[in-house]
Amino acid sequence: MITISAGDFEKIVQHARSELPEEACGLIAGVREGENRIIKKVYFLTNLDHSNEHFSLDQKEQLNAVKDMRAKGLVPLGNWHSHPETPARMSQEDKRLAYDKQASYMILSLMDKENPVLHSFRRSGDEFSPEEVVIK
């Protein structure tokens, strides 16, 4: 299970909307409590691909985010990106690039502009399983 505050969820939605028609992306950090993950900070990074179908994180921004996480005593929990025109599911490219079995891969669908949908996935071997998302 991964928990995100309603405020951080809304920040992700607003940022993703501001990046349309491109995919928005970023990192998530927080704490682990057993199998539960609690997001304490969301990072907004530049999509270097400037595409509505894929993203690449800016490495300098990524490094700065990791430094900030360490300074705040947080651990990296994974990443997030938006799907401007498709459902919140792992695309073939998402699966190909998702190699970290410890990470959560969050996808925000803006397909229905008025009702964004956030899902999260975890890798186990070659399979991806949905991870329960709790918005508090």
Side-chain angles (χ1 to χ4, degrees):
M1 176 174 64
I2 190 160
T3 303
I4 185 169
S5 71
D8 280 342
F9 171 70
E10 191 57 37
K11 287 176 188 175
I12 288 174
V13 170
Q14 292 304 318
H15 180 73
R17 285 178 174 154
S18 75
E19 295 295 307
L20 288 171
E22 299 175 2
E23 286 191 2
C25 57
L27 299 175
I28 51 175
V31 296
R32 290 189 180 107
E33 295 178 356
E35 284 298 308
N36 297 328
R37 297 147 180 265
I38 302 165
I39 298 171
K40 298 287 187 181
K41 181 144 173 112
V42 175
Y43 296 87
F44 305 103
L45 279 59
T46 302
N47 177 358
L48 294 178
D49 293 338
H50 299 289
S51 169
N52 67 336
E53 296 179 344
H54 50 86
F55 72 98
S56 293
L57 300 173
D58 180 293
Q59 291 181 353
K60 184 176 180 183
E61 291 175 356
Q62 191 172 5
L63 179 61
N64 288 337
V66 171
K67 286 179 182 178
D68 185 70
M69 290 174 203
R70 289 182 183 151
K72 290 179 168 51
L74 303 174
V75 296
L77 297 178
N79 66 54
W80 70 271
H81 72 280
S82 63
H83 281 185
E85 302 159 355
T86 58
R89 63 175 176 238
M90 299 284 286
S91 68
Q92 289 304 313
E93 182 172 343
D94 292 338
K95 291 176 182 178
R96 184 176 58 81
L97 297 173
Y99 60 88
D100 186 349
K101 293 177 184 170
Q102 299 299 313
S104 293
Y105 296 94
M106 299 183 84
I107 300 173
L108 175 74
S109 174
L110 295 174
M111 194 168 77
D112 177 347
K113 304 291 188 234
E114 299 304 315
N115 298 297
V117 175
L118 181 67
H119 289 295
S120 187
F121 303 88
R122 299 278 305 275
R123 181 180 193 130
S124 177
D126 291 333
E127 300 297 317
F128 290 87
S129 300
E131 177 177 38
E132 180 183 0
V133 177
V134 175
I135 301 172
K136 285 188 167 184

